[in-house]
Amino acid sequence: MTQNAGKFLFVALAFAALAVVPFVGGSFTVDLVTKIMIYAIFALSLELLVGGTGLVCFGQAAFFGIGAYATVLLTPSGAPASLWWLLPACIALAAGYALLVGALSLRTQGVYFIMVTLAFAQMAYYVVHDTPLGGGTDGIYLDDKPSLLPALLPALELRQPLVLYFFIWLCLGATFAALALLLRSRFGRALLGIKVNEQRLRAAGFSTYPYKLAAFTISGGIAGLAGSLFAIKDGFVNPELLSWHLSGAVLVMIILGGLGHLRGALLGAFAFALLQEFFKSEAVFGAFAKHWHLGLGLTIIVSVALLPNGLMSLGRLPAQWRERRERQARPAREVQP
């Protein structure tokens, strides 16, 4: 089996397993996996920047939160909004803010770029935290979930957990496929060149700024999609959706899964969320469950130490161990005088 065929098989089996979950799991499992799939879309948005372009953004939660708040604020009172204009509007607003942030922050590099993106994210956080626009610290509720196909298929409403689950499943699959095609295109090869050696591209007369700005804007739009889906699922938003804690969490997800791989973003999102639920379980840890951050942090440290390339490197461990045994069993060559 070729490497590309193996990658395709892994992704196909993963999405097939997700499609089976609602039919074998209970309501808690469906709700948890729905939330994780939203986080997976969010992780894919940051993977495009960090893993695909080499830009470490520490303000990704701002675009996620803008998508979530736009969903609530654009929904008319007393009537559900149509999903077919609401979702694109939320994506456009998040992408628009990403365009503004990227146009300014991409003029810096390294740690300065990280700090500028964090500063813009904190500005957006305080707008919804300290003004009536976002309801302050209390947040705001979504009056009604948007309608999907009210005229053609009234039974397919996002109020139903199963319908919402498969709609998010489709969004995750479409996002993954779109990014896979994007990274294989000429545009994606340009981003890879920027990640590997941007200075060499500039010396060759290649303008890198428009490519980085386009990648930053696309990443913000995808994060806005994830935020909008999160607001639809929970029916409630608060300023914590724009906090730096969430930006740090999604960065940990893609590092845990393995940078430079879209599959790694999926693995990292699921691993991070499942570990979080595991350490929060009072049935397993009892009173220690309230200190779940400690257990989660130690597990991530051990994982990164043992698997510096993330969970994606697990599949290569048997081959590496076999090569190591073969080298040890091979007789040492005599040194010629």
Side-chain angles (χ1 to χ4, degrees), residues 193 197-208:
N197 196 326
E198 184 179 358
Q199 297 301 325
R200 180 175 295 178
L201 287 179
R202 287 181 175 177
F206 194 87
S207 179
T208 60

Side-chain angles (χ1 to χ4, degrees), residues 45-162:
S45 74
L46 188 60
E47 171 61 28
L48 175 63
L49 284 183
V50 182
T53 318
L55 299 172
V56 181
C57 175
F58 206 62
Q60 199 73 1
F63 315 126
F64 182 87
I66 287 173
Y69 269 88
T71 301
V72 177
L73 294 174
L74 292 178
T75 299
S77 179
S82 173
L83 185 70
W84 304 111
W85 70 261
L86 180 64
L87 203 59
C90 297
I91 295 172
L93 287 172
Y97 189 66
L99 178 64
L100 172 64
V101 174
L104 298 175
S105 61
L106 287 171
R107 301 185 183 278
T108 62
Q109 292 181 346
V111 67
Y112 301 103
F113 173 79
I114 297 174
M115 296 308 296
V116 170
T117 57
L118 175 60
F120 274 106
Q122 289 300 102
M123 288 168 57
Y125 171 83
Y126 284 112
V127 166
V128 298
H129 186 275
D130 296 343
T131 66
L133 176 66
T137 57
D138 294 332
I140 46 179
Y141 286 90
L142 180 64
D143 288 338
D144 202 354
K145 294 184 186 296
S147 58
L148 191 60
L149 293 170
L152 299 177
L153 295 170
L156 292 181
E157 287 296 332
L158 295 181
R159 300 186 192 92
Q160 302 178 26
L162 192 61

Side-chain angles (χ1 to χ4, degrees), residues 3 307 312-328 330:
Q3 186 177 10
L307 299 170
M312 287 298 301
S313 60
L314 280 174
R316 295 192 293 269
L317 285 181
Q320 292 174 356
W321 291 337
R322 186 167 56 252
E323 292 175 0
R324 190 178 305 163
R325 287 197 301 267
E326 290 175 354
R327 285 197 303 267
Q328 292 174 351
R330 204 175 296 158

Side-chain angles (χ1 to χ4, degrees), residues 215-271:
F216 199 92
T217 304
I218 294 170
S219 173
I222 296 173
L225 167 65
S228 180
L229 294 174
F230 187 89
I232 293 172
K233 174 193 170 295
D234 274 14
F236 173 76
V237 294
N238 62 22
E240 293 306 311
L241 297 179
L242 293 89
S243 70
W244 65 269
H245 302 86
L246 187 56
S247 294
V250 72
L251 186 59
V252 170
M253 289 178 194
I254 61 174
I255 294 173
L256 183 62
L259 291 175
H261 305 278
L262 295 179
R263 293 164 293 146
L266 297 180
L267 280 176
F270 274 84

